[in-house]
Amino acid sequence: MATDIRPRDPVLPPTMVPLATLIGRELRGGKSEKPAIRYGHAAFAKRGEDYFLVRPDCLRVPGDASSSFSVFAIFDGHNGVSAAVFAKEHLLDHVMSAIPQGIGREEWLETLPRALVSGETSGTTATLVVVDGWTVTVASVGDSRCILDSQDGVVSLLTVDHRLEENVEERERVTASGGEVGRLNLCGGKEIGPLRCWPGGLCLSRSIGDTDVGEFIVPIPHVKQVKLSSAGGRLIIASDGIWDALSSELAAKACRGLPAELSAKLVVKEALRTSGLKDDTTCLVVDIIPTDHTHLPLSPRKQQNKFKSLLFGKKSQNFSGKPNKLSSVGSVEELFEEGSAMLEERLGKIHLKENSGHLRCAICQMDQAPNNDLSVASVDGFCPASNPWEGPYLCADCWRKKDAMEGKRPRESTMSR
């Protein structure tokens, strides 16, 4: 139904901007009024494995309209639709169940990036976007993409591509974890197609599910949180059927200055015109605008707007696990970014959530009755006493997954093609 975006610009040096400072600025400046949200979507199916989620009127506190936030997501399934359907129906509930009840908005926004690491299902990419006021939080696994077209004429990338062909750091993580990366090998030794992870042959390093392709394909998302200025901006969230045909700049240009509903249709139309229908093409356009506007005004163009990643230069490929510094770029403040697959770094020493005497796994959110052999630091004997686990409780299955992600498990099979 619609889409709208803008071009990317040069990288500015990072500036520390704590979330509490930004919220304080809003209150002191009288800009605490939430923006209006306008959205549109469009899709064209080839395999029928793309699904999207639109929840514009969620409430952080039931019955309190001032606690509203919006959720938009795209799920691009593979090897069937079951994982995409499951993620659409349950992923948001998993995320919300990992956030403590009764906390204020500032704490909610600070907790959200960690909560987005929780929740696991069974082959789909996922890009989940939460809009709360002027703050946008994006979690992604796979090769769907979310870009931001801010009102200063800059198109910014809010996600990281987890295709093995594109991401050197992810290739290194997979091989360090005991997997193998290579192309499909035909008779005679000729290699064809994109790089894939073996066993299994998936060309992505991260996705939700895919339990049949080994433990090297992980569901731990890249998470980024930014704060827009009161001028607002536009998000374009789309599956790889769009991005294989269009660059971020071209997608933005195709719909700039138009209502969200029409914009999404134009982005899909331009992708089909460029490369034909080779894959499912799904696009969501979300305008975050001042309440006195009906749609985003067309911002004045800068000369030679270049695509600029809010992952700031080489940080767009940073999976070292080290937290990135908060940054300021034009009218967009960067609050949080993390892409590590190391669970202890992602989840930290978060609270142990108890539910009627049960322990809840921080990843799969399943409850398990405690016993004498089970503790936060030791799960079925997997955690050595010499190196105790300082993260949250994990069930035995998720603990095994954690070790595989971190390269602590010996290779169990060789590459078979």
Side-chain angles (χ1 to χ4, degrees):
M1 300 187 186
T3 322
D4 212 272
I5 310 190
R6 298 169 209 276
R8 312 177 181 178
D9 267 10
V11 176
L12 302 182
T15 303
M16 298 296 288
V17 188
L19 179 60
T21 300
L22 294 173
I23 293 178
R25 284 183 200 166
E26 278 187 358
L27 297 175
R28 290 191 298 274
K31 295 180 180 178
S32 58
E33 183 179 82
K34 289 200 171 187
I37 304 295
R38 303 283 185 269
Y39 62 90
H41 76 272
F44 213 102
K46 182 176 178 67
R47 298 185 179 92
E49 295 178 332
D50 277 8
Y51 287 80
F52 68 91
L53 174 69
V54 173
R55 298 270 186 86
D57 299 311
C58 300
L59 294 179
R60 179 169 47 82
V61 180
D64 181 0
S66 67
S67 69
S68 64
F69 64 96
S70 302
V71 176
F72 304 90
I74 284 182
F75 307 98
D76 181 358
H78 46 263
N79 298 325
V81 301
S82 59
V85 172
F86 186 94
K88 175 183 176 180
E89 294 179 350
H90 300 290
L91 184 58
L92 180 58
D93 292 336
H94 280 312
V95 171
M96 297 305 296
S97 70
I99 300 178
Q101 299 296 310
I103 60 177
R105 178 170 179 257
E106 180 181 336
E107 190 177 357
W108 141 264
L109 288 172
E110 289 176 343
T111 303
L112 183 58
R114 271 192 319 196
L116 286 164
V117 178
S118 300
E120 175 181 4
T121 54
S122 152
T124 183
T125 72
T127 298
L128 181 72
V129 179
V130 178
V131 181
D132 186 331
W134 303 103
T135 301
V136 177
T137 308
V138 183
S140 62
V141 293
D143 56 1
S144 294
R145 186 185 303 176
C146 175
I147 63 174
L148 166 67
D149 188 6
S150 59
Q151 277 302 95
D152 59 358
V154 175
V155 173
S156 308
L157 180 62
L158 300 183
T159 51
V160 161
D161 195 334
H162 292 130
R163 286 185 180 181
L164 290 164
E165 188 75 38
E166 309 292 336
N167 197 310
V168 176
E169 284 78 4
E170 284 295 275
R171 294 202 295 269
E172 293 174 348
R173 178 187 65 77
V174 168
T175 54
S177 300
E180 295 196 38
V181 175
R183 305 184 194 281
L184 188 64
N185 198 334
L186 297 180
C187 295
K190 183 178 180 181
E191 295 185 338
I192 63 169
L195 289 174
R196 301 175 183 273
C197 175
W198 305 92
L202 194 65
C203 60
L204 302 172
S205 62
R206 303 196 193 191
S207 72
I208 293 177
D210 288 309
T211 56
D212 60 334
V213 296
E215 295 174 325
F216 319 112
I217 309 303
V218 301
I220 308 303
H222 172 272
V223 179
K224 189 170 188 68
Q225 187 177 70
V226 299
K227 189 173 191 303
L228 309 185
S229 75
S230 57
R234 169 171 281 182
L235 303 173
I236 296 181
I237 314 158
S239 63
D240 65 332
I242 297 292
W243 307 118
D244 286 345
L246 302 177
S247 67
S248 298
E249 300 96 324
L250 286 177
K253 183 179 179 180
C255 60
R256 186 171 290 118
L258 299 172
E261 186 172 345
L262 176 59
S263 295
K265 294 178 180 178
L266 290 178
V267 170
V268 170
K269 181 179 179 180
E270 183 63 18
L272 295 176
R273 187 192 67 80
T274 301
S275 63
L277 183 62
K278 296 180 179 178
D279 195 359
D280 295 337
T281 55
T282 303
C283 180
L284 286 168
V285 173
V286 181
D287 286 345
I288 305 166
I289 58 179
T291 53
D292 56 348
H293 289 64
T294 57
H295 63 275
L296 277 177
L298 183 62
S299 61
R301 279 194 174 179
K302 297 182 178 181
Q303 290 191 350
Q304 289 193 331
N305 273 327
K306 297 180 181 178
F307 181 82
K308 175 165 58 177
S309 169
L310 283 177
L311 305 166
F312 302 114
K314 302 228 174 176
K315 285 169 75 173
S316 64
Q317 297 298 322
N318 180 9
F319 293 92
S320 63
K322 297 178 182 179
N324 293 319
K325 292 182 178 180
L326 302 175
S327 308
S328 174
V329 177
S331 61
V332 179
E333 309 272 7
E334 182 182 356
L335 305 180
F336 177 94
E337 181 181 4
E338 184 57 85
S340 171
M342 307 290 279
L343 285 176
E344 188 169 3
E345 295 172 357
R346 299 302 298 277
L347 296 171
K349 300 178 184 180
I350 62 174
H351 66 285
L352 174 63
K353 187 166 184 178
E354 295 194 16
N355 182 24
S356 303
H358 288 69
L359 300 178
R360 175 165 293 178
C361 175
I363 299 302
C364 66
Q365 297 293 299
M366 297 299 291
D367 295 332
Q368 185 170 345
N371 57 56
N372 293 334
D373 299 323
L374 192 63
S375 68
V376 180
S378 178
V379 182
D380 289 348
F382 286 103
C383 183
S386 60
N387 187 25
W389 167 245
E390 295 185 345
Y393 166 70
L394 303 179
C395 70
D397 287 342
C398 289
W399 187 274
R400 294 187 190 97
K401 190 96 171 176
K402 165 196 166 303
D403 276 356
M405 292 180 213
E406 298 176 2
K408 297 177 182 176
R409 188 170 178 176
R411 183 180 322 209
E412 295 180 354
S413 59
T414 57
M415 182 163 68
S416 57
R417 307 185 187 175

